[in-house]
């Protein structure tokens, strides 16, 4: 039987970071078990015929001083800094992101609706300062942006992304993800091409070579020999005996457990759990993201990084261009694209049908022309893509986390902590978790 002080479930960035920092600051041994044949989780890449594809564009937004210095050190000499160029395509026009501050260029009637609705919200908020919480995302968006901006962007785009009715969702996730421009900026952006950068990701870093996979690879290369076991899926966990059954390894016994796999899946692997915890886990929901990666001949969408598609006639919610993140992501005279679809995680999906819809949509909006031949097509599905912030989530987490704390289990990362977060945060989660365990 294999024995380790700390067993880490999942070799994504959170798990890798936890192991690295445990090595650095504690005497504990640790072992990461990862079901795939490579580390990285959603921050992975694959290479095919000279194209490098991520699981949709994975761009580094670094805000924490430690996280920034650590990631820059991991990718020393292999980083490019880029100024975001992101757009929205609607009414057959490209407008700058974010929609609410950049309606310039849309048909006059659309601009009028957006401005009129927005100005009404200012008047309404002066009339009534009372808080009516908790607001659904739908009510919050209407209250803050007005009917026009909601009708032309916030509602259709978010319904496409989340695959949920927006009145069942809370506002807990939106803080940094939905920019809130000033009144003057909304007005200015309706009459002028406003070039001001808004939001958390106005500039970003991306690896020069190797796609985002170079980040988990660099982190994994700093671990001890045999500390990461790939092709080792966790099959079941017994928290009474502190033993886990792992594919290809057998029984692994541990003193402490760190989980980074999706929280609801993790709970389903535990033996003998209280019914209330099982029930709470069944209340957690997520969407699934289906990423169609395309390598095509010729150069497309020069200078643009990604485009949002709110309109129903386009089946995808976003299309991005890896070759604009780094020229090494595609062979010369060719382009590489990611096309993102979202579905309810319980829906059955026919990928060949989605592929036809994707190719038609890309031609309709003129991203692809007759000169662009598809050279490579690669689907990368993400079964647990975005955690849904509905009104059941917090209640369920308030049952699950105290139970796990009693059992001395740490559950971290984007899916272990069941949240909307980024790569840098996954790395910081791993660090904080190691610091906590080092004190035990
Ligand atoms: C569509 C999309 C776009 C994104 N874009 C960005 C971006 O541009 N910038 C950014 O910073 N972040 C982005 N993110 C977020 C980023 O991918 C995550 O925050 C981060 O990579 C999460 O790391 P993690 O270790 O917490 O989870 P994961 O990467 O999911 O790691 C968990 C690991 O557990 C493994 N696993 C699962 N089940 C088992 C099992 N039973 N046994 C063993 N192993 C198992 C998985 O294979 C995986 O490797 C995006 C995410 C998505 C879904």
């Amino acid at each position: 039987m294999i024995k380790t002080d700390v067993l880490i479930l999942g070799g994504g960035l959170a798990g890798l970071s936890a192991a690295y920092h445990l090595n650095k600051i504690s005497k504990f041994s640790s072992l990461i078990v990862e079901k795939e044949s490579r580390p990285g989780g959603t921050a992975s890449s694959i290479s095919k015929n000279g194209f490098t594809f991520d699981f949709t564009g994975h761009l580094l937004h670094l805000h924490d001083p430690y996280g920034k210095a650590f990631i820059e050190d991991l990718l020393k000499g292999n980083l490019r800094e880029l100024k975001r160029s992101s757009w929205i395509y609607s009414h057959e026009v490209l407008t700058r992101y974010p929609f609410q501050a950049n309606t310039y260029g849309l048909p006059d009637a659309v601009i009028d609706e957006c401005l009129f609705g927005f100005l009404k919200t200012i008047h309404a908020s002066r009339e009534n300062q009372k808080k009516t919480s908790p607001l659904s995302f739908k009510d919050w968006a209407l209250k803050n942006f007005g009917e026009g901006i909601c009708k032309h962007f916030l509602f259709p785009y978010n319904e496409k992304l989340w695959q949920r009715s927006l009145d069942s969702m809370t506002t807990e996730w939106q803080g940094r993800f939905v920019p809130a421009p000033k009144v003057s900026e909304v007005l200015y952006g309706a009459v002028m091409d406003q070039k001001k950068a808004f939001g958390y990701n106005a500039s970003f870093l991306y690896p020069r070579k190797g796609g985002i996979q170079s980040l988990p690879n660099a982190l994994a290369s700093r671990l001890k020999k045999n500390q990461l076991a790939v092709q080792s899926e966790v099959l079941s966990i017994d928290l009474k005996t502190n033993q886990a059954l792992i594919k290809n390894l057998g029984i692994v016994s541990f003193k402490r457990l760190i989980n980074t796999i999706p929280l609801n899946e993790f709970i389903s692997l535990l033996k003998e759990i209280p019914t209330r915890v099982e029930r709470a886990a069944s209340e957690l929901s997520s969407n699934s993201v289906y990423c169609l990666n395309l390598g095509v001949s010729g150069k497309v969408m020069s200078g643009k990084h990604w485009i949002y598609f709110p309109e129903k006639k386009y089946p995808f919610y976003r299309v991005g261009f890896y070759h604009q993140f780094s020229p090494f992501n595609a062979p010369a005279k060719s382009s590489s694209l990611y096309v993102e679809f979202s579905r309810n995680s319980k829906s059955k999906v026919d990928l060949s049908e989605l592929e036809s819809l994707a190719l038609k949509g890309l031609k309709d909006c003129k991203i692809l022309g007759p000169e662009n031949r598809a050279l490579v097509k690669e689907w990368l599905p993400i079964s647990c893509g975005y955690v849904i912030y509905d009104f059941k989530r917090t209640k369920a987490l308030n049952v699950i986390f105290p139970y796990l704390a009693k059992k001395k289990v740490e559950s971290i990362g984007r899916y272990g902590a069941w949240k909307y977060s980024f790569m840098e945060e996954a790395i910081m989660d791993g660090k904080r978790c190691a610091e906590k365990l080092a004190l035990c």
Side-chain angles (χ1 to χ4, degrees):
M1 188 200 301
I2 299 172
K3 288 186 179 171
T4 180
D5 290 333
V6 185
L7 177 63
I8 302 171
L9 310 182
L13 292 174
L16 294 167
S17 167
Y20 169 83
H21 288 98
L22 277 172
N23 291 350
K24 216 173 147 201
I25 59 172
S26 82
K27 291 196 176 104
F28 297 137
S29 63
S30 63
L31 172 68
I32 306 175
V33 287
E34 163 58 50
K35 73 172 176 184
E36 300 295 341
S37 53
R38 56 167 183 253
T42 47
S44 298
S45 319
I46 62 143
S47 295
K48 207 168 175 184
N49 301 352
F51 291 93
T52 302
F53 301 124
D54 301 336
F55 282 65
T56 87
H58 264 70
L59 317 162
L60 288 158
H61 320 295
L62 306 181
H63 303 292
D64 180 278
Y66 177 87
K68 186 171 188 306
F70 183 54
I71 291 170
E72 286 179 350
D73 183 52
L74 285 168
L75 293 174
K76 213 168 10 201
N78 188 27
L79 271 177
R80 306 184 77 214
E81 183 162 8
L82 295 123
K83 209 167 138 232
R84 180 191 69 205
S85 169
S86 61
W87 300 78
I88 291 138
Y89 186 77
S90 63
H91 302 280
E92 296 177 23
V93 178
L94 276 173
T95 51
R96 289 178 196 277
Y97 171 87
F99 183 89
Q100 52 271 35
N102 293 297
T103 47
Y104 177 75
L106 288 165
D108 287 350
V110 176
I111 299 180
D112 287 353
E113 263 187 281
C114 292
L115 281 189
F116 184 62
F118 182 70
L119 293 174
K120 260 171 67 182
T121 67
I122 301 165
H123 182 65
S125 71
R126 286 207 186 111
E127 295 271 293
N128 180 9
Q129 295 287 339
K130 270 188 259 161
K131 271 196 175 169
T132 49
S133 55
L135 283 180
S136 68
F137 176 71
K138 183 172 184 180
D139 290 340
W140 172 86
L142 271 174
K143 191 175 160 193
N144 285 282
F145 296 102
E147 282 177 12
I149 289 172
C150 286
K151 173 181 159 190
H152 292 289
F153 184 75
L154 286 175
F155 288 174
Y157 176 75
N158 282 292
E159 277 161 4
K160 234 193 234 189
L161 172 67
W162 297 102
Q163 298 284 305
R164 287 293 186 290
S165 84
L166 301 180
D167 46 18
S168 70
M169 289 186 60
T170 71
T171 56
E172 293 156 297
W173 58 276
Q174 59 75 26
R176 59 197 158 143
F177 298 108
V178 184
K182 294 185 207 139
V183 176
S184 55
E185 291 165 339
V186 173
L187 296 179
Y188 186 79
V191 292
M192 296 271 195
D193 184 14
Q194 175 162 239
K195 293 192 175 123
K196 181 180 170 175
F198 291 89
Y200 68 93
N201 60 355
S203 67
F204 57 88
L205 299 172
Y206 187 82
R208 189 176 295 277
K209 282 188 179 173
I212 202 59
Q213 183 72 50
S214 45
L215 176 60
N217 284 356
L219 193 42
S221 73
R222 294 195 184 184
L223 299 181
K224 293 179 185 159
K225 204 171 163 225
N226 300 329
Q227 204 178 358
L228 167 67
V230 293
Q231 294 180 317
S232 301
E233 183 178 356
V234 191
L235 301 174
S236 67
I237 304 146
D238 188 336
L239 292 179
K240 268 196 189 145
T241 57
N242 275 2
Q243 291 182 341
L245 177 62
I246 315 287
K247 192 172 164 185
N248 295 326
L249 296 183
I251 304 276
V252 175
S253 114
F254 55 86
K255 291 185 188 140
R256 296 295 298 256
L257 188 64
I258 301 177
N259 171 56
T260 74
I261 75 175
L263 188 57
N264 49 359
E265 285 172 41
F266 169 69
I267 298 287
S268 74
L269 297 176
L270 296 178
K271 286 187 179 163
E272 295 179 46
I273 42 161
T275 317
R276 67 192 163 80
V277 176
E278 203 173 6
R279 205 177 295 136
S282 72
E283 300 282 20
L284 299 177
S285 62
S286 64
N287 72 356
S288 295
V289 170
Y290 294 86
C291 169
L292 173 63
N293 288 304
L294 288 173
V296 301
S297 61
K299 286 289 176 209
V300 302
M301 300 310 287
S302 172
K304 306 227 166 7
H305 291 132
W306 62 88
I307 302 172
Y308 299 97
F309 286 84
E311 289 169 330
K312 275 211 172 82
K313 64 179 171 179
Y314 296 102
F316 31 76
Y317 63 88
R318 185 167 55 182
V319 176
F321 309 98
Y322 298 112
H323 63 284
Q324 316 276 26
F325 303 150
S326 167
F328 292 101
N329 279 344
K333 295 187 188 150
S334 58
S335 304
S336 60
L337 291 73
Y338 54 94
V339 185
E340 296 180 69
F341 295 86
S342 171
R343 290 289 179 270
N344 184 308
S345 61
K346 293 186 179 105
S347 307
K348 275 205 168 148
V349 171
D350 177 348
L351 292 184
S352 60
E353 189 190 327
L354 282 194
E355 194 168 304
S356 318
L357 290 172
L359 293 172
K360 181 178 179 313
L362 291 171
K363 283 176 192 151
D364 288 350
C365 66
K366 302 195 172 50
I367 287 180
L368 292 185
E371 68 284 11
N372 304 120
R373 240 173 347 104
L375 304 171
V376 177
K377 289 182 205 157
E378 184 76 27
W379 276 103
L380 292 177
I382 308 170
S383 65
C384 185
Y386 287 81
V387 159
I388 307 290
Y389 281 71
D390 58 16
F391 285 98
K392 294 176 186 168
R393 175 182 166 275
T394 303
K395 278 188 206 150
L397 296 184
N398 286 341
V399 174
I400 297 168
F401 287 139
Y403 168 76
L404 294 182
K406 228 167 80 190
K407 296 283 173 188
K408 293 194 159 51
V409 174
E410 308 298 324
S411 197
I412 62 164
R414 177 170 165 121
Y415 304 106
W418 205 253
K419 60 183 179 177
Y420 186 178
S421 62
F422 285 150
M423 293 184 284
E424 183 191 48
E425 287 166 272
I427 287 179
M428 293 307 294
D429 281 2
K431 175 178 184 274
R432 276 189 290 268
C433 183
E435 285 164 350
K436 183 177 168 191
L437 293 194
L439 295 175
C440 296

